[in-house]
């Protein structure tokens, strides 16, 4: 009891409000001492950290890590999916988590969870929101999770108990699932009256990650905004705005299999989520999320900047001209834009970037069409967002100018598109003669090509008395959404180790694969790279989703070994290929067509030429030419990253890369489009490092020590506790020394990939294309070695051919002086010189 009182007092001191800051239900109004959202967020984190031993982890960026089927992070659990699936690298900090708490930035727009079109129509939908959550990974379970939640809500936040209702899973006979009586008994033991503990069915109280994967019953906590002693049980889960869900506690204890059946998980987990925006309506005694301090500064800034009527919180027919709807749309969307751009998601033409473009254009339309805001107004709200959220998410303060510039540029472009769209609509109406139905293909073209909002097209046509075939338009929109929601890449399902396979490996004591031999190569006396073969033992064979002791001739399977010299696909580098030889029968060759890494285990996808058994000894040989080409392009990628910073400044940030044997692709954020001269300067920097033939140093270091290096380049990835540092020209020990600034003047990165031993082995480097599919993100493709030389030669030959053709034309049409041929010839050479570097491949 003393500990509980101490914890309550500690949280109250954090909130800096007197013990009676919560007004009783009969008073009907909140005290002026209502806590700020910043204090409520911090109190949540500190409660779980200090009172219950949780580790505070930062919010993951809204761009998902390694989840191509997801547009945005839309729940707090997204960054922990590898733990739930059992695929977390056992050497990573992620695998060590037991109790975790955080405040996660979430975006629900596009894809399965899409709140975009609902935003503004009511007072509680958002595209961006904050999810407060606590997790247990194989540690505590139902009793502790319920007790912690009840303690926080009733003792720390002092929410009246009689306004809280809890729901639990009532069972499902079709799945042979009994009711979650355990959760019900826990809530009753905590003092919740039986009339406030309510059973519900599968759709309300059984949570699933997807069609397959971890799942389990959940228990939800609901709040009655009215109170006054009434029993609001009949309003729970009925969509009534007076009784709202505030916290969901998910108990992951099953796995949904492909055949629809449920299996017990090897470990039980807890995943909870509580929306900060909805919590603030309770603690600040508001009925609308937009009336809390997370939004009121933005609404005030909109009123001040537009000069129209002030925000009154009206909805539907009570909101003439949709003015209050416009307030809500703009306030919500500018938060989403700011957070996404700060995390490297820029408005663009596909995937998450396309959704963000739609959000920006919807905000701009409401600014200009409804609020009559001046051009550039939307970007002027970014500093207000930063003031509200910047302390919790410091990346917003770091990139404020970039965020504003990108929003301004896209606003200008969209306003021009609106003007063009109106012209197209008017011209189409003139050509329709007596028809009163607008061509649906024109409407869809306006939307898909010019980004014209569909609802705006409908409004404009309604004003002119013309109909739009909404059903046909919706059909096109659904087809487009389905096409874009398909995962961008498919895994080789037959070789992928699922959570049950990983659990069985660990249960059977199968050790993680030792893949350190992949770095066992050296330069021979003749200057050629020597790759040493590796002797290994077959530990497991994986085929058709199960482990087998033996696989027969002609079949394809996954081979798990005790050690390997093969590089598994990760870190943007393509996997090795090669072959295995049976140690006892050297004529038995097994081609290795791909290599994957899952949960610390390396799976070799092998075509079995003769019977292969567990316990067999094999020798591994990588495809040396393919490996060397990947090493060359990976080292060149590091040089490109360094050269871009040298030429463009520290404002550039790597957004991704892909390294294959044929080419390298690199994406980087830039403050302005890259000029031709800057690309030439980047090439010059790289060529200079190649000529100096710098040593490529590598070494391992604790992640905390490496992350403190000034000038270190690292991606937003989950790194193991012991990371590999790749430094060009400077020994790793020197880079890691206290106060060292060596990393600011050379390339130093955290990288698990394979690299050359000296930069001279890159031989040559040429950028073959650079373009911006998304404003502010440049995509660069480059080649090395003989390919670079060949590209340069091809471009030179092409330039000579064009010059010769122009000269021939000049001879044919020469008019004896005074003609314009010389200027045209000069222009052709100018064009070709740019083809040389930009468009040759």
């Amino acid at each position: 009891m003393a500990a509980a009182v101490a914890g309550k007092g500690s949280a109250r001191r954090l909130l800096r409000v007197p013990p009676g800051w919560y007004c009783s239900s009969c008073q009907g109004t909140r005290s002026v001492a209502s806590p700020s959202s910043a204090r409520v967020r911090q109190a949540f984190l500190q409660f779980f950290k200090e009172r219950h031993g949780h580790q505070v982890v930062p919010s993951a960026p809204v761009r998902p890590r390694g989840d191509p089927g997801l547009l945005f992070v839309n729940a707090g659990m997204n960054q922990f999916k590898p733990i739930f699936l059992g695929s977390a690298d056992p050497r990573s900090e992620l695998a060590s988590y037991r109790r975790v708490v955080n405040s996660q930035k979430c975006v629900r727009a596009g894809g399965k969870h899409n709140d975009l079109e609902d935003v503004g129509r009511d007072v509680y939908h958002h595209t961006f929101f904050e999810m407060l959550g606590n997790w247990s990974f194989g540690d505590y379970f139902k009793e502790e999770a319920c007790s912690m939640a009840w303690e926080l809500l009733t003792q720390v936040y002092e929410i009246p108990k009689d306004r809280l209702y809890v729901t639990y899973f009532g069972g499902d006979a079709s799945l042979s699932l009994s009711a979650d009586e355990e959760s019900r008994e826990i809530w009753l033991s905590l003092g919740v009256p039986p009339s406030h503990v309510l059973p519900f069915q599968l759709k309300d109280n059984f949570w699933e990650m997807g069609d397959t994967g971890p799942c389990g019953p959940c228990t939800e906590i609901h709040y009655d905004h009215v109170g006054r002693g009434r029993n609001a049980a009949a309003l729970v889960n009925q969509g009534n705005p007076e009784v709202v869900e505030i916290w969901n506690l998910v108990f992951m204890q099953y796995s949904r299999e492909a055949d629809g059946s449920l299996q017990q998980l090897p470990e039980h987990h807890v995943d909870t989520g509580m929306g900060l925006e909805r919590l603030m309506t309770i603690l600040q005694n508001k009925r609308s999320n937009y009336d809390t301090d997370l939004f009121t500064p933005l609404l005030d800034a909109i009123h001040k900047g537009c000069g129209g009527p002030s925000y009154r919180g009206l909805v539907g027919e009570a909101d003439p001209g949709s003015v209050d709807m416009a307030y809500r749309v703009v306030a919500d969307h500018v938060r989403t834009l700011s957070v996404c751009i700060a995390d490297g998601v820029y408005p663009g033409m596909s995937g998450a970037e396309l959704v963000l473009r739609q959000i920006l254009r919807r905000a701009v339309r409401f600014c200009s069409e409804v609020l009559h805001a001046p051009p550039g107004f939307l970007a002027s709200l970014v500093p207000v967002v930063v003031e509200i959220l910047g302390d919790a998410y410091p990346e917003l303060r770091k990139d404020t100018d970039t965020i504003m510039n990108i929003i301004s540029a896209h606003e200008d472009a969209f306003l021009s598109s609106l003007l063009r769209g109106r012209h197209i609509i008017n011209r189409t109406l003139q050509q329709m003669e007596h028809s009163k139905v607008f061509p649906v293909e024109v409407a869809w073209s306006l939307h898909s090509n010019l980004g014209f909002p569909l609802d705006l097209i409908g409004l404009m046509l309604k004003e002119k008395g013309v109909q739009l075939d909404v059903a046909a338009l919706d059909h096109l929109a659904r087809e487009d959404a389905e096409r874009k929601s398909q995962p961008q890449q498919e895994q080789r399902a037959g070789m992928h180790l699922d959570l049950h396979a990983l659990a069985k490996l660990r249960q059977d004591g199968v050790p993680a694969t030792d893949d350190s031999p992949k770095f066992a190569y050296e330069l021979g006396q003749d200057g050629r790279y020597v790759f040493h073969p590796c002797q290994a033992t077959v530990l497991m064979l994986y085929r058709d989703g199960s482990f087998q002791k033996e696989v027969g001739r002609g079949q394809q399977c996954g081979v798990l070994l005790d050690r390997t010299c093969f590089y598994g696909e990760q870190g943007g580098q393509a996997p090795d290929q090669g072959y295995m030889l049976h140690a006892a029968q050297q004529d038995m060759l097994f081609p290795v067509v791909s290599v994957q890494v899952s949960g610390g285990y390396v799976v070799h996808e092998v075509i079995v030429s003769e019977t292969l058994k567990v316990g067999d000894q094999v020798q591994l040989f990588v495809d040396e030419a393919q490996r060397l080409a990947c090493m060359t392009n990976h080292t060149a990628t590091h040089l490109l990253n360094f050269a871009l910073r040298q030429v463009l400044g520290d404002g550039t940030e790597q957004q991704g890369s892909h390294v294959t044997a044929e080419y390298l692709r690199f994406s980087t954020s830039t403050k302005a489009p890259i000029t031709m001269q800057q690309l030439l300067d980047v090439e010059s920097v790289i060529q200079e490092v190649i000529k100096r033939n710098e040593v490529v140093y590598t070494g391992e270091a604790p992640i905390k020590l490496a992350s403190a290096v000034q000038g270190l380049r690292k991606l937003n990835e989950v790194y193991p506790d012991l990371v590999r540092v790749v430094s060009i020209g400077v020994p790793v020990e020197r880079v890691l020394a206290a106060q060292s600034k060596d990393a600011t003047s050379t390339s130093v990165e955290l990288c698990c990939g394979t690299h050359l031993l000296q930069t001279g082995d890159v031989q040559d480097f040429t950028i073959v294309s650079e373009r911006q599919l998304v404003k502010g993100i440049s995509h660069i493709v480059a080649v090395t070695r003989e390919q670079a030389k060949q590209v340069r030669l091809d471009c030179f030959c092409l330039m000579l051919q064009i010059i010769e053709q122009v000269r021939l034309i000049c001879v044919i049409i020469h008019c004896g002086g005074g003609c314009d041929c010389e200027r045209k010839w000069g222009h052709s050479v100018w064009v070709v010189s740019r083809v040389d570097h930009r468009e040759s491949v």
Side-chain angles (χ1 to χ4, degrees), residues 207-260:
W207 186 92
E208 304 199 46
M209 183 182 293
D211 294 334
T212 60
C215 57
C218 62
T219 183
E220 298 175 340
I221 304 174
H222 297 249
Y223 176 78
D224 176 17
H225 275 285
V226 176
R228 301 192 185 97
R230 73 169 182 169
N231 187 325
L235 300 178
V236 172
N237 276 339
Q238 299 303 311
N240 191 306
E242 293 179 351
V243 181
V244 296
E245 174 203 338
I246 58 173
W247 205 345
N248 188 11
L249 285 61
V250 179
F251 306 125
M252 293 193 190
Q253 59 191 91
Y254 302 109
S255 171
R256 175 79 70 184
E257 302 304 306
D259 61 3

Side-chain angles (χ1 to χ4, degrees), residues 142 166-184 187 197-208 216-220 249 251 253-254 256 262:
K142 295 180 182 180
V166 295
T167 65
Y168 67 95
F169 179 52
D172 190 296
S174 66
L175 294 173
S176 300
L177 287 174
S178 57
D180 186 9
E181 293 293 337
E182 182 183 0
S183 290
R184 180 179 183 275
W187 287 118
V197 183
L198 312 170
F200 280 88
Q201 300 307 306
L202 199 75
K203 70 181 183 68
D204 293 309
N205 280 85
F206 196 89
W207 186 92
E208 304 199 46
C218 62
T219 183
E220 298 175 340
L249 285 61
F251 306 125
Q253 59 191 91
Y254 302 109
R256 175 79 70 184
L262 294 173

Side-chain angles (χ1 to χ4, degrees), residues 271-317:
D271 164 21
T272 86
M274 175 164 58
L276 177 62
E277 292 78 6
R278 191 169 290 184
L279 176 62
M280 291 313 303
T281 64
I282 297 170
L283 300 183
Q284 294 182 350
N285 197 38
K286 307 295 183 182
R287 290 295 186 90
S288 163
N289 297 355
Y290 292 91
D291 291 335
T292 68
D293 69 341
L294 289 166
F295 289 92
T296 49
L298 278 167
L299 299 175
D300 292 341
I302 294 170
H303 176 238
K304 182 179 179 181
C306 297
S310 59
Y311 178 71
R312 295 177 293 171
L314 303 177
V315 296
E317 294 181 359

Side-chain angles (χ1 to χ4, degrees), residues 128-150:
F128 165 75
F129 64 97
E130 298 178 71
M131 184 72 84
L132 305 175
N134 61 290
W135 289 267
S136 165
F137 305 115
D139 190 351
Y140 61 81
F141 203 43
K142 295 180 182 180
E143 183 173 2
E144 296 89 339
C146 295
S147 177
M148 292 174 194
W150 195 250

